[in-house]
Amino acid sequence: MKNSVKNLLRGGVFALGATFAFAFTQPMDNVQTVWGEDQINGVVPVTLNSNEYICDPGTIQCLYYDEAMEQPVPNSRGQFKLQ
């Protein structure tokens, strides 16, 4: 009887944990805003992998995750230009 109660308790805790895991999380947004520095407009927000901008080949960093331009987006080197 004790083992049965323990198993039921474990199952209940697991079910409760799974419920909370889904209740307090959000789906990931496929549209991600990143930042680049345009020569005319300054720091501008753009959508990652969109046709709003190009990164002309170069050695400087093109895109950043934050507006302060401190967290670079990996593999995004080049001169940032709005389209």
Side-chain angles (χ1 to χ4, degrees):
M1 180 93 174
K2 281 186 176 183
N3 287 337
S4 176
V5 172
K6 283 183 181 180
N7 287 337
L8 286 174
L9 185 58
R10 284 185 195 147
V13 169
F14 178 76
L16 188 61
T19 302
F20 282 127
F22 286 108
F24 296 110
T25 58
Q26 298 179 15
M28 293 295 289
D29 190 4
N30 288 340
V31 177
Q32 185 174 16
T33 300
V34 293
W35 302 84
E37 186 169 10
D38 184 57
Q39 292 177 350
I40 297 169
N41 299 319
V43 179
V44 292
V46 292
T47 303
L48 187 62
N49 298 322
S50 70
N51 61 356
E52 299 175 73
Y53 66 93
I54 56 173
C55 290
D56 281 343
T59 58
I60 61 172
Q61 185 65 36
C62 184
L63 300 174
Y64 295 85
Y65 286 118
D66 59 329
E67 190 174 1
M69 300 184 75
E70 296 174 350
Q71 299 175 343
V73 175
N75 302 319
S76 67
R77 294 214 170 264
Q79 181 66 42
F80 178 85
K81 292 182 182 177
L82 289 174
Q83 293 276 28

